[in-house]
Amino acid sequence: SEELFSAELGYRFYALDRFTAELSAFYSEYEDLLTLTGTFPNYAFDNALESKMKGAELELSFLPIDRLR
């Protein structure tokens, strides 16, 4: 079966009444991913792959007038 280790860290910053910023970073590590192996016509499913993902996200929000809230 698949195994996953995942971590995420984030921060939200309120600079002004109308401006916010959010920053987050993540890391994921999969082991034993299900994959299709073999050649035609002898295909089989096997937990044979590994995968690592990492990244970051930045979100900025600005509301120029109160009616947009």
Side-chain angles (χ1 to χ4, degrees):
S1 65
E2 296 178 355
E3 294 180 22
L4 168 65
F5 169 79
S6 181
E8 184 172 353
L9 179 66
Y11 182 75
R12 181 176 291 150
F13 176 71
Y14 295 97
L16 303 169
D17 186 37
R18 299 177 188 273
F19 176 76
T20 61
E22 297 180 32
L23 177 64
S24 63
F26 63 89
Y27 177 81
S28 298
E29 186 174 304
Y30 287 90
E31 293 182 1
D32 298 328
L33 284 170
L34 186 64
T35 184
L36 187 62
T37 60
T39 57
F40 181 79
N42 299 318
Y43 291 116
F45 287 100
D46 190 14
N47 291 45
L49 292 178
E50 295 181 1
S51 175
K52 294 180 182 177
M53 293 175 273
K54 56 187 172 183
E57 179 180 12
L58 174 64
E59 179 180 332
L60 303 173
S61 298
F62 177 70
L63 300 172
I65 59 176
D66 287 332
R67 288 179 32 192
L68 294 177
R69 289 184 187 257

